[in-house]
Amino acid sequence: MGVTIKPTPDDPGRGDERKRLLLEVGAALLGGGAASSDVEDELRALSPVIGCPEITVAALPTGLFLGLEPMDSVSFAPVDSAVRLDQTSEVLVVISSLRARDLTVSAALRRLQEIRETAPRWPRWVGDLGGIPIGIGLCLLLQPGTANLLVVAACSLTVAGLTMLTRRWRSLARLLPVTSAFVTSLIVLGAFHAGWVDGPLRLVVAAIAILLPGSAIVIGLTEIASGAAAAGTSRLVSGGVQIALFVSGLVAAAALTRTPLSSLSNGTATHPAWWAAVLGIAICVVGLMIHFFTPVEHALAIAVVMGAAGGTQVPLTSIYNPEVGGFAAALAAMIAAIIVSWLPGGPVWRITYVPAFLIVAPGSFGLLNASQVEIGSGTSRSLLTALSAFLAIAVGTLIGSIIARAADHSARSLPATTDAVDWPAGE
């Protein structure tokens, strides 16, 4: 999972094990993309179960500070890299087992070590190629057409290749946003000038959507609304810089190909038929499941929740606006995830909600509006529209999280214990 923990001055023993457990769980959740405020709430709910009800905790996107009690020395666990979705799923299972007291602290630590060392279920290059169906699915939603689909497929393959290169040479990773946007825009604008495609801006967005920071921006807004201003602000700044880099690549390609600004407006030549929209959502779901290493055993449940999110967002966005569509989709995804978790053998709601959130907030429509402001073909109203769409998703996510916490309140209401290792262990 890429999580490392700095040594602490604590005496060896149970206290040290409990602190290490909480640090590893928190860092894993942060690496999996959880909001800082949610991680803090999760650790505060888990800590009484393992015998330390008075923890002090502060979570940031890049790491976690934690002490077992107010006067305890604080330890720090940095988040070195992203945690795969299948690993996040297993970490959530560990948390549930700890709450149910089916695992001891020592057994949970061993299980977390095993999760960290788990290899991806398929090669990483296969995950990178998952961006191709995502691009094709979004193209069906944003700008359908045979030639458009072929060009987007070629561009998505190019983006996958660039991603593989940055994984091989990590020093190139900082150039991925601007490089992918530039190369993709050159291909799309070249096809546009040849008369093969129309609506080039939407095609560029569909091809690079997998790299866009839409989920980070929504999580940042959610954190700020929850009171975690420092964490939320850092995510927003990071996401804003990423979008600026993508827009810079687009603008550079437009200047090189001498594309008039009027050709980069956010408009669609054709609207997808209902079957094309359904097919687009289905293809996006498949691509996201491949790209994010979705747990195979929960594939059907995840697909159902993602389908509920996309099936709610797309029609409501076309009928009303992105704000209504995003708000309703975030709520629908949470409610569907809770219902699925109640079914026999159903996964914890977070396992199905996380990938559904990725389809609700891909960042596509935010870039569509922000890019027009950057290149001069839009107004400040476009930027406000993008921000309000992200904010609507954040509000829906907040309300949904309140519903989810109420739904599993009984699971968290375990009495505190002074001994973290005396209950039966599922070892």
Side-chain angles (χ1 to χ4, degrees):
M1 291 184 294
V3 177
T4 59
I5 298 177
K6 290 185 177 180
T8 70
D10 294 342
D11 294 331
R14 293 178 183 174
D16 189 54
E17 275 198 337
R18 293 188 300 230
K19 177 183 283 188
R20 181 182 162 204
L21 173 66
L22 293 173
L23 285 168
E24 290 198 15
V25 167
L29 293 177
L30 287 170
S36 300
S37 53
D38 288 343
V39 172
E40 292 176 359
D41 290 342
E42 190 68 57
L43 295 181
R44 291 192 183 101
L46 179 61
S47 60
V49 179
I50 62 173
C52 42
E54 298 183 350
I55 66 167
T56 57
V57 58
L60 295 171
T62 55
L64 179 75
F65 296 89
L66 184 136
L68 291 184
E69 55 188 35
M71 299 304 294
D72 182 35
S73 60
V74 174
S75 301
F76 176 70
V79 179
D80 292 337
S81 61
V83 179
R84 301 191 312 270
L85 188 57
D86 59 318
Q87 292 175 312
T88 301
S89 172
E90 293 299 324
V91 171
L92 292 172
V93 171
V94 170
I95 294 174
S96 297
S97 298
L98 283 167
R99 287 195 209 152
R101 299 185 178 180
D102 292 331
L103 279 180
T104 65
V105 170
S106 298
L109 284 170
R110 289 195 295 273
R111 180 63 189 132
L112 290 175
Q113 177 69 23
E114 294 172 359
I115 294 172
R116 280 197 301 274
E117 296 172 352
T118 302
R121 303 192 180 196
W122 45 83
R124 291 190 179 274
W125 63 265
V126 174
D128 294 331
L129 293 177
I132 298 175
I134 293 173
I136 293 173
L138 283 175
C139 183
L140 282 170
L141 295 171
L142 294 174
Q143 195 81 329
T146 302
N148 295 342
L149 289 171
L150 292 175
V151 170
V152 168
C155 291
S156 298
L157 179 60
T158 301
V159 171
L162 291 173
T163 303
M164 295 176 196
L165 286 177
T166 58
R167 184 171 293 113
R168 187 177 182 86
W169 292 286
R170 294 188 179 275
S171 59
L172 300 177
R174 297 182 183 90
L175 299 176
L176 181 61
V178 65
T179 303
S180 60
F182 177 73
V183 175
T184 298
S185 299
L186 281 181
I187 297 173
V188 171
L189 294 177
F192 173 72
H193 285 295
W196 299 341
V197 300
D198 45 30
L201 179 61
R202 286 179 171 243
L203 301 186
V204 172
V205 168
I208 64 174
I210 195 64
L211 301 177
L212 298 178
S215 58
I217 292 175
V218 173
I219 292 174
L221 291 171
T222 304
E223 289 171 333
I224 291 175
S226 301
T233 301
S234 64
R235 284 193 202 269
L236 287 178
V237 172
S238 176
V241 170
Q242 291 293 308
I243 286 184
L245 290 174
F246 283 116
V247 171
S248 298
L250 171 61
V251 172
L256 186 62
T257 57
R258 298 185 178 180
T259 302
L261 298 181
S262 59
S263 300
L264 295 176
S265 61
N266 178 16
T268 179
T270 58
H271 292 279
W274 68 267
W275 61 267
V278 172
L279 181 61
I281 293 172
I283 294 175
C284 279
V285 167
V286 173
L288 284 166
M289 294 177 74
I290 295 173
H291 186 79
F292 290 102
F293 300 92
T294 301
V296 177
E297 61 272 21
H298 302 315
L300 180 59
I302 291 172
V304 168
V305 177
M306 292 176 76
T312 300
Q313 184 176 33
V314 171
L316 289 182
T317 296
S318 61
I319 295 173
Y320 298 102
N321 52 50
E323 293 90 335
V324 174
F327 173 80
L331 275 181
M334 183 64 76
I335 293 172
I338 294 172
I339 293 174
V340 168
S341 70
W342 289 342
L343 299 176
V348 180
W349 64 264
R350 293 172 186 80
I351 296 175
T352 54
Y353 179 74
V354 170
F357 178 79
L358 294 173
I359 204 171
V360 172
S364 305
F365 298 103
L367 182 62
L368 284 173
N369 290 284
S371 59
Q372 292 181 74
V373 176
E374 182 71 17
I375 64 178
S377 60
T379 65
S380 58
R381 184 176 180 180
S382 299
L383 187 58
L384 290 176
T385 300
L387 183 60
S388 62
F390 286 134
L391 186 58
I393 299 173
V395 172
T397 302
L398 278 175
I399 296 175
S401 66
I402 293 173
I403 297 173
R405 287 169 184 166
D408 68 357
H409 177 71
S410 59
R412 289 190 174 192
S413 300
L414 292 172
T417 176
T418 57
D419 197 327
V421 294
D422 274 351
W423 63 77
E427 302 185 36

